[in-house]
Amino acid sequence: MLTTASSANHEFVKSLGADYVIDYRKEDFVKKVLELTDGIGVDLVLDTVGRDNADESVKALAFNGQIAFIAGPPNVNDAISFVHPLSFHQVALGSVHQSNNVKEQRKLAEMGNRMLLLLQENRLNALVEKVISLEEVPAALDELATRRVKGKIVAVIDK
């Protein structure tokens, strides 16, 4: 598994299972992916950064590669090619709540319940970096905006 991270986070992402980490601040990650894969590219990209990054991530995909994104889609019109077919998958689980599709709403609830069970059984690491009070939320949002948070920040709301 290949991933990108700043050099300060290389050991952290390796501890999560990455085989090779590319420092996106020092290297062109598309060029490095193609180098590491002998010009073939990767089969799957999960892009959590944003639209501009997703545009670049598409260039790292292999023939029939797939990209899933949560922070902005790549420019699909520029990426569509009959000689290099790709699959695009938008992850927007929250939108199911706005739909009238009860079947999909139930599936989402089942996924949530399964994740909670895995957490209770200590089989899933939620990567909680810190727990804060409700009053600390504005500062935490500022911190998240820097994109230097390794895990999740959880706000505890007292009743």
Side-chain angles (χ1 to χ4, degrees), residues 17 39 48 53 70 79 89:
T48 62
N53 198 77
I70 64 171
H89 306 276

Side-chain angles (χ1 to χ4, degrees), residues 22-151:
I22 301 166
D23 188 337
Y24 64 89
R25 292 180 178 171
K26 296 179 181 172
E27 296 184 85
D28 177 330
F29 77 90
V30 173
K31 184 177 178 182
K32 190 66 176 178
V33 165
L34 294 174
E35 177 187 315
L36 292 168
T37 61
D38 295 323
I40 294 172
V42 293
D43 295 318
L44 177 64
V45 168
L46 173 60
D47 192 293
T48 62
V49 178
R51 179 179 298 261
D52 291 340
N53 198 77
D55 284 343
E56 290 302 303
S57 293
V58 166
K59 298 173 186 175
L61 286 171
F63 184 84
N64 279 333
Q66 301 177 54
I67 181 168
F69 46 88
I70 64 171
N75 184 336
V76 178
N77 291 335
D78 289 348
I80 292 176
S81 165
F82 290 108
V83 297
H84 192 170
L86 306 170
S87 276
F88 301 90
H89 306 276
Q90 182 172 359
V91 181
L93 298 176
S95 64
V96 75
H97 296 294
Q98 298 170 0
S99 75
N100 292 325
N101 192 328
V102 175
K103 179 182 173 186
E104 290 300 319
Q105 291 170 351
R106 285 189 184 124
K107 282 171 54 178
L108 186 60
E110 289 170 17
M111 285 187 275
N113 289 335
R114 179 72 179 137
M115 285 181 63
L116 288 173
L117 181 62
L118 291 171
L119 278 169
Q120 286 176 332
E121 295 171 351
N122 289 323
R123 294 174 53 204
L124 182 65
N125 183 347
L127 297 175
V128 176
E129 185 167 315
K130 65 178 156 179
V131 178
I132 61 170
S133 68
L134 185 59
E135 292 78 23
E136 295 172 291
V137 168
L141 290 172
D142 289 340
E143 185 178 357
L144 285 171
T146 68
R147 294 180 38 207
R148 291 190 179 100
V149 177
K150 290 181 184 174

